[in-house]
Amino acid sequence: MSDRGKIDRDFFDQYIYPNLGAERDDVAVGPRHGVDFGVLDAGGTAVVTATDPISILPDLGWERAARFALGVVLADVAVSGIPPSHLAIEFSLPPEMTDEAFAAVWTTMDEELDALGTSVLTGHTARYHGCSFPWVGGATVMGVGDHDEVIRPDGARPGDHLLITHGPAVEAAALFANLYPDQLQDAGADVDLDTLADRLPETGHVRDALLAAASGPVTAMHDATECGLHGALVELAETAGVAIEFDPEAVPVADDVRAVCDALDMDPRASTTSGTLLIAVRPEGVDDVLAALRERGTPVADAGRIRAGTGVSVDGEHLSHPEEDPAWRAYAELAAAADGSDD
């Protein structure tokens, strides 16, 4: 297992998957590596659930940090096609976080939740010694709907088209442009960092997922978080038991993103890119989903095909899961450089 970031499949299969508590008939979709959500059957109603850490980055500004954190949390339910309806949230705050700072975070979250139709169901908020930014809590999101409306993570079928929004490493590059502009310039990233910083995903990909689900026969969706686009492709193929033929030229790495990745020796297609969605769509719905997302202003491309078989191929070559996200190493190095410059 990597010492940074999400656990790998071997760790999950050895330690997590064999030990899931009691077996219950009401668990319609349970834990699987690389799957965004679970589904509980509550008397014939589907309750889609997902749990994630809350990451608040003060250097983004409290309001923007709140929207970014919330978007990451809500997306894992939104990719089911069921709108996130309820939120249970826990804050373990550092003692130095002031009441005013927390109020800015919480009121911003309230505004976003209200706009999305999501209600806070329960929670816990406290300050504890030993807690520190950015990891300041956790949240469970729920969405309530009909079982036949849930876009299952294993739903991709041969013949589907694979649509991809935004592209590789947008989150990682934009996050670094926000947090470490001086260090990126020192590393040789000769780009407009202000423009790149504005591309940081907040809650737009939540709306993208729900719009895609409403626009055509979508069979599966996945948010490309840790290990980026390549990791998400492998996870989607493994979960559905299908093969994916991916065309990298359809979703090229943006020039400013590539400049940052080159400066930090990061593979952009293996780097975290929350906000980038993989959307499997039946052939007859492709044009409608593309049109709806583009009308909303979301960059999207038809970038692959789902085939019978297993694995992911890129230009005829087999693609393996990256296992470790290079953005974690880059983040640590940039943070160390920033600490050194502050001394």
Side-chain angles (χ1 to χ4, degrees), residues 217-259:
V218 173
T219 61
M221 285 191 283
H222 192 24
D223 185 14
T225 52
E226 292 186 50
C227 294
L229 186 54
H230 281 177
L233 286 164
V234 173
E235 289 164 1
L236 183 64
E238 288 182 345
T239 301
V242 295
I244 295 177
E245 295 176 359
F246 171 59
D247 176 11
E249 299 302 318
V251 280
V253 181
D255 290 343
D256 52 359
V257 171
R258 184 174 293 283

Side-chain angles (χ1 to χ4, degrees), residues 52-56 69-70 73 87 89-91 109 134-139:
D52 276 295
I54 295 291
S55 173
I56 299 293
L70 191 62
V73 167
L87 174 69
I89 190 165
E90 179 273 324
F91 288 102
M109 287 188 172
W135 308 110
V136 296

Side-chain angles (χ1 to χ4, degrees), residues 153-194:
D154 57 358
R157 309 201 304 269
D160 289 351
H161 289 230
L162 184 66
L163 310 187
I164 296 177
T165 66
H166 293 288
V170 174
E171 177 204 359
L175 187 62
F176 295 157
N178 276 279
L179 300 179
Y180 304 114
D182 294 340
Q183 288 70 36
L184 286 180
Q185 289 181 332
D186 291 343
D190 185 18
V191 296
D192 183 344
L193 294 175
D194 289 337

Side-chain angles (χ1 to χ4, degrees), residues 14 26 165 167 184 204 231 243 258 314 342:
Q14 181 176 356
D26 54 4
T165 66
L184 286 180
R258 184 174 293 283
V314 180
D342 291 339

Side-chain angles (χ1 to χ4, degrees), residues 92-96 126-132:
S92 297
L93 304 175
E96 65 269 21
R127 291 187 178 96
Y128 297 111
H129 288 287
C131 296
S132 61

